Amino acid sequence: MAIIADEKWLPSDSIILEKNADVAIRQKRNVLVVAGPGAGKTELLAQKANYLFETDNCKEPYRILAISFKKDAAKNLKERVEQRCGKETACRFDSMTYDAFAKNLLDHFRLALPQELRPKQDYIVEDKDILKAAFEQYNNHNTRYYDAIISSVSLPFAKDEVGERIWKLLLHGFDDHTSMLTFKMISMLAEYIIRTNIMIRNGLQETYKYVFLDEFQDTTTLQYELVKRCFLSSKAIITAVGDNKQRIMVWAGARKTVFVDFQNDFNAIKYKLIMNHRSAPRLVDLQRKMYSVLNESDGQVQHSAKWREDDGIINLIISENSESEALTITNSIIKKIETGISPTQICILCKQKPQDFTQIIIDYLGQKGIYARIENDYQDLIKEPIIEIILSILSLTCNRKHPDDWQVLVSSIIELWNISGTQSDDEYFNVQNQIDDELLRIKQQFSLVTTKSEFYEVLKKIVSFLKFDCIKAVFPEYSQGKYLNDVLNRFAKLFWDELEKTSIDLNMSIEQFKGLHSIPIMTIHKSKGLEYDTVFFVGLEDAAFWNFKNQPEEDRCAFFVALSRAKSEVSFSFCKNRNHKTQKHNDINEFFDLLQEPRIANIITPP
């Protein structure tokens, strides 16, 4: 990569940044970027990485650490940096979740822990049966309090209370159970390692000159304390981006004061972005109307110039029953598809339990030849590195003219088999020949598949070729316990389901598994960071927002997130009789009042 002067750097892909985004990218001190939906928060981080590498502000061997809340967000950011900087430079960009960051610290420096706090090397993660068995040793059968009891423990041990005794069981194993840790325990141990080992802390700070924190509003107290422990008072320059209006993880421990705390603790400058590049003007107007109830100022939010002032559609569907609701939404989706909108650009959202709200809609769409599926089981699985490799292999057995899959496979094999750049060209040709031969064998074996067990044998063949031990060695998330096996088993089950639906058409099954032809259905929490042309929110009812009285702020944020996923059209659906129960909207009536204000939503009352 050619090095250019600071003043000559321009954003890649001809993107025009608003002034505060450009200033935040070039800033040489800690910054907090506060930006609403569609403002390009992830894009800002990708452009900042490009700026730091292209201007040589992040010189070799320094690296950039990016921490996101979700796996798909971390992967998305990494891919954007690779597109802008190339893979060779982007190898100095480490993008991971908070859980992965903490686990990486623990796995690398486990031996720095005192024996009492040191888990076994082959510990497993988040096994509910082992967790339950440990608590039952002390006659505690109430799973609601497991997390609170684990979190109440302070390290190092000093009190000999029930929480500490359970920790010891989980750390070292008991009865026939092996060592098991929850992600919260992993974060606590990682924090303790950094707290008590100045050389490790200094090494971490020498490695990462820049740190990015994405979706910062959802950061928990434990995660924030780990970041502080690692980088407070260091020379690392931290850029945090987030939006208070999208804080929907309070139930999981999101720290409400994290923006203010970060500004105070890290002496960070705050920048606010005002552009919404995603949503049409009428949708932006509705988002703006919610600012006051979310304790935010209007902030001069602006829509993109690509829209006309009257663009954007908002609907409130009020149905008598689930069948009427499903028919209305199905007909609307059919019309959208007929206008050329891809099914993948239409999303159905629910506050919780999509299976309870959308099964009739899925059935009605299926009758019209439109495939819709609940993404919960697929969304994270597709992002798993081993699944990406397996899908590339399966795709190449169908058609070798898939250069992206070939690149993924070859680069993965080189990494898995530890083939370095110092080896001869003959070695690389040999690898490619081995891949060619294996693809042919897999294709021949798959051509004989008629049963689930035969398909499982194909997967075993693929994993054997990749080398199971190499997979565990290269990818830290698979290094301990049975997580890799769990991922492979979940994939095998879901992919066989797709094969059955397509009469074992491998190419179509791959496309269906990736969701290339289906309408995604998911919870609001799963939709964070995603965008669609058209969004249907199903279940604008008290039963879905059952805890509204206790957490009105978080549920208002959830409504806001659902609204802000849409580019051009959003529909909210209330069903008077769902699942044989009368539904009401007394508790969340403020949402109805807002939607029924003049010139906001079209009120649709199907027969």
Side-chain angles (χ1 to χ4, degrees):
M1 176 181 285
I3 304 302
I4 61 176
D6 273 34
E7 64 274 12
K8 292 186 178 180
W9 179 83
L10 293 172
S12 58
D13 299 330
S14 301
I15 288 176
I16 299 175
L17 300 169
E18 62 179 281
K19 181 179 179 181
N20 276 354
D22 188 72
V23 172
I25 285 172
R26 299 173 189 271
Q27 183 58 255
K28 301 299 193 295
R29 54 181 287 190
N30 298 331
V31 298
L32 170 66
V33 179
V34 178
K41 296 182 286 295
T42 302
E43 181 61 28
L44 182 148
L45 294 178
Q47 293 286 356
K48 182 155 189 170
N50 185 38
Y51 161 77
L52 293 171
F53 287 135
E54 282 195 343
T55 59
D56 209 27
N57 277 284
C58 185
K59 299 177 182 291
E60 285 195 85
Y62 290 117
R63 306 176 72 86
I64 299 173
L65 171 66
I67 309 179
S68 302
F69 203 81
K70 299 195 306 180
K71 284 184 180 180
D72 53 354
K75 190 173 190 300
N76 179 23
L77 181 53
K78 176 73 171 180
E79 289 172 348
R80 292 194 192 200
V81 174
E82 286 180 350
Q83 289 169 3
R84 286 152 181 76
C85 305
K87 287 200 172 188
E88 185 176 349
T89 299
C91 70
R92 290 194 288 130
F93 185 84
D94 296 328
S95 184
M96 60 189 80
T97 63
Y98 277 106
D99 286 340
F101 174 59
K103 189 175 187 301
N104 196 36
L105 289 175
L106 175 59
D107 293 346
H108 274 86
F109 305 113
R110 183 182 62 89
L111 296 179
L113 289 166
Q115 189 66 44
E116 188 179 41
L117 295 177
R118 190 183 305 161
K120 294 181 179 180
Q121 185 175 3
D122 60 348
Y123 71 88
I124 62 177
V125 181
E126 295 283 354
D127 188 298
K128 293 181 180 179
D129 293 333
I130 295 178
L131 188 64
K132 182 179 179 182
F135 274 86
E136 287 179 348
Q137 293 272 326
Y138 295 94
N139 297 316
N140 188 321
H141 304 276
N142 195 333
T143 58
R144 291 178 58 190
Y145 297 103
Y146 287 1
D147 188 66
I149 292 172
I150 285 175
S151 304
S152 68
V153 172
S154 297
L155 305 182
F157 299 143
K159 299 179 180 179
D160 193 32
E161 294 178 343
V162 170
E164 290 187 357
R165 295 171 191 168
I166 291 171
W167 260 77
K168 291 175 183 177
L169 290 176
L170 296 173
L171 279 168
H172 306 302
F174 61 100
D175 297 338
D176 294 328
H177 301 296
T178 188
S179 179
M180 192 286 297
L181 304 178
T182 66
F183 277 117
K184 186 156 288 188
M185 294 172 70
I186 290 171
S187 292
M188 293 170 72
L189 290 169
E191 189 276 337
Y192 182 81
I193 288 171
I194 302 301
R195 179 180 6 132
T196 56
N197 292 271
I198 190 170
M199 292 183 66
I200 294 175
R201 183 168 69 250
N202 289 345
L204 188 68
Q205 294 173 359
E206 283 297 314
T207 300
Y208 295 113
K209 188 173 180 180
Y210 295 91
V211 179
F212 297 168
L213 304 174
D214 198 7
E215 296 290 355
F216 192 52
Q217 75 279 348
D218 289 328
T219 302
T220 68
T221 293
L222 180 55
Q223 291 164 347
Y224 181 64
E225 291 301 324
L226 178 58
V227 170
K228 279 178 60 179
R229 188 67 66 185
C230 291
F231 299 108
L232 188 64
S233 302
S234 75
K235 294 181 180 179
I237 297 174
I238 302 179
T239 302
V241 301
D243 180 15
N244 267 327
K245 301 181 297 301
Q246 298 185 65
R247 181 182 287 121
I248 60 174
M249 301 299 290
V250 174
W251 62 273
R255 185 182 181 112
K256 290 185 177 182
T257 60
V258 71
F259 284 9
V260 174
D261 294 340
F262 177 70
Q263 285 182 264
N264 293 335
D265 293 336
F266 288 88
N267 191 27
I269 306 174
K270 179 180 176 181
Y271 294 101
K272 193 164 187 176
L273 307 187
I274 61 173
M275 287 297 299
N276 184 328
H277 299 280
R278 175 187 303 152
S279 300
R282 292 193 61 206
L283 274 64
V284 173
D285 287 342
L286 179 56
Q287 294 170 26
R288 194 182 291 123
K289 284 180 177 292
M290 288 202 64
Y291 276 35
S292 60
V293 298
L294 294 171
N295 300 314
E296 291 276 330
S297 61
D298 188 303
Q300 305 142 342
V301 177
Q302 299 176 10
H303 60 77
S304 169
K306 68 183 179 182
W307 301 100
R308 296 175 301 182
E309 284 298 326
D310 61 347
D311 280 345
I313 299 172
I314 303 165
N315 299 312
L316 174 60
I317 303 169
I318 302 176
S319 307
E320 291 293 330
N321 52 58
S322 299
E323 289 76 12
S324 175
E325 174 188 66
L327 183 60
T328 301
I329 292 175
T330 297
N331 288 336
S332 180
I333 288 174
I334 290 172
K335 290 178 182 178
K336 286 288 178 184
I337 293 174
E338 286 174 347
T339 64
I341 295 175
S342 166
T344 60
Q345 278 299 303
I346 302 169
C347 180
I348 300 174
L349 294 180
C350 301
K351 177 67 166 60
Q352 57 182 355
K353 298 181 178 179
Q355 63 274 14
D356 291 348
F357 290 86
T358 62
Q359 189 56 56
I360 298 178
I361 300 173
I362 293 173
D363 294 341
Y364 272 50
L365 287 169
Q367 293 170 16
K368 299 296 182 179
I370 301 170
Y371 184 40
R373 75 177 188 196
I374 297 172
E375 293 292 318
N376 291 15
D377 293 333
Y378 294 84
Q379 202 170 13
D380 291 335
L381 192 59
I382 289 173
K383 303 297 181 181
E384 292 284 348
I386 184 58
I387 302 307
E388 182 181 16
I389 298 171
I390 290 174
L391 288 173
S392 294
I393 290 174
L394 293 174
S395 179
L396 289 165
T397 63
C398 297
N399 186 348
R400 288 296 304 275
K401 296 179 180 179
H402 289 163
D404 291 342
D405 288 313
W406 179 255
Q407 183 178 359
V408 167
L409 182 55
V410 172
S411 61
S412 298
I413 292 290
I414 288 172
E415 185 177 13
L416 286 169
W417 294 357
N418 195 28
I419 299 172
S420 71
T422 60
Q423 290 175 275
S424 67
D425 289 343
D426 288 343
E427 184 68 25
Y428 284 94
F429 286 128
N430 182 44
V431 168
Q432 295 191 52
N433 288 335
Q434 287 185 65
I435 293 173
D436 280 329
D437 292 343
E438 188 64 22
L439 289 174
L440 181 59
R441 284 191 288 268
I442 292 169
K443 183 175 183 178
Q444 291 172 341
Q445 185 177 353
F446 187 85
S447 67
L448 303 175
V449 168
T450 57
T451 66
K452 182 189 294 187
S453 61
E454 290 171 343
F455 171 64
Y456 282 18
E457 289 301 316
V458 173
L459 288 184
K460 288 179 183 177
K461 178 75 172 175
I462 292 173
V463 173
S464 175
F465 173 70
L466 296 174
K467 301 178 183 177
F468 191 81
D469 289 341
C470 292
I471 296 169
K472 297 191 77 169
V474 168
F475 300 108
E477 57 265 54
Y478 305 139
S479 59
Q480 275 89 28
K482 59 180 183 178
Y483 181 61
L484 176 56
N485 283 324
D486 288 344
V487 168
L488 292 171
N489 287 334
R490 282 191 287 134
F491 171 76
K493 179 182 181 304
L494 289 174
F495 198 85
W496 175 252
D497 289 344
E498 299 298 342
L499 286 169
E500 283 194 309
K501 292 173 189 173
T502 63
S503 300
I504 314 188
D505 182 325
L506 181 55
N507 189 59
M508 180 57 69
S509 296
I510 293 170
E511 293 182 358
Q512 292 284 54
F513 184 82
K514 290 181 176 180
L516 300 185
H517 307 292
S518 63
I519 294 172
I521 301 173
M522 65 188 76
T523 62
I524 296 172
H525 290 84
K526 287 288 187 180
S527 75
K528 285 288 294 297
L530 304 178
E531 61 182 26
Y532 301 91
D533 177 86
T534 302
V535 169
F536 294 89
F537 179 83
V538 179
L540 191 64
E541 297 144 19
D542 289 346
F545 292 82
W546 57 272
N547 205 25
F548 183 83
K549 291 182 178 179
N550 296 322
Q551 55 176 44
E553 180 182 350
E554 186 171 359
D555 281 351
R556 287 170 185 142
C557 288
F559 179 86
F560 182 83
V561 169
L563 160 65
S564 61
R565 298 308 93 200
K567 296 178 185 177
S568 64
E569 181 171 342
V570 61
S571 298
F572 294 92
S573 182
F574 170 79
C575 184
K576 294 180 181 179
N577 193 317
R578 186 186 302 282
N579 300 329
H580 308 294
K581 294 182 180 178
T582 301
Q583 302 298 321
K584 298 180 180 180
H585 54 78
N586 296 337
D587 294 339
I588 59 169
N589 204 52
E590 62 183 69
F591 298 151
F592 281 79
D593 289 344
L594 176 63
L595 292 171
Q596 293 180 98
E597 285 185 16
R599 299 189 68 253
I600 295 295
N602 305 310
I603 310 301
I604 300 173
T605 55

